[in-house]
Amino acid sequence: MDEELVAAFREDYTQAPITEAERVMLDYVVQLTKDATRIAPQDHERLRAAGFDDQAILQITLIASWFNYINRVADALGVGRD
């Protein structure tokens, strides 16, 4: 991944040079991370409209959820803190 793209993601992923499908996926992941209880069928429909099938939606959800989980565990245990 080139440094410009990495910098764009760090700055604001919504302005990064990515596909619409990637943007829809990241919007979903952000919502899942902030408040998964607010995920609604419309969110899944938006993913489907962007080209993701049910298996892909499940995979996106599982991967994002796992990263959220493991980061919280690491934070709670102080992993990586100086």
Side-chain angles (χ1 to χ4, degrees):
M1 194 175 286
D2 67 60
E3 288 303 313
E4 282 186 34
L5 185 57
V6 171
F9 276 117
R10 284 187 180 137
E11 182 71 27
D12 179 3
Y13 81 91
T14 66
Q15 302 301 312
I18 57 177
T19 67
E20 181 60 23
E22 291 167 330
R23 194 170 324 284
V24 169
M25 176 186 63
L26 291 174
D27 289 342
Y28 175 79
V29 168
V30 167
Q31 182 59 50
L32 176 71
T33 299
K34 287 182 176 181
D35 187 355
T37 65
R38 295 185 63 201
I39 297 291
Q42 297 87 335
D43 298 301
H44 299 139
E45 287 305 320
R46 188 166 177 235
L47 286 163
R48 287 186 192 97
F52 297 101
D53 62 13
D54 287 348
Q55 182 177 358
I57 294 168
L58 176 61
Q59 289 172 334
I60 292 164
T61 303
L62 290 172
I63 292 166
S65 297
W66 184 83
F67 272 97
N68 286 325
Y69 161 76
I70 204 66
N71 284 328
R72 284 182 176 86
V73 170
D75 288 346
L77 296 176
V79 174
R81 291 187 202 155
D82 292 338

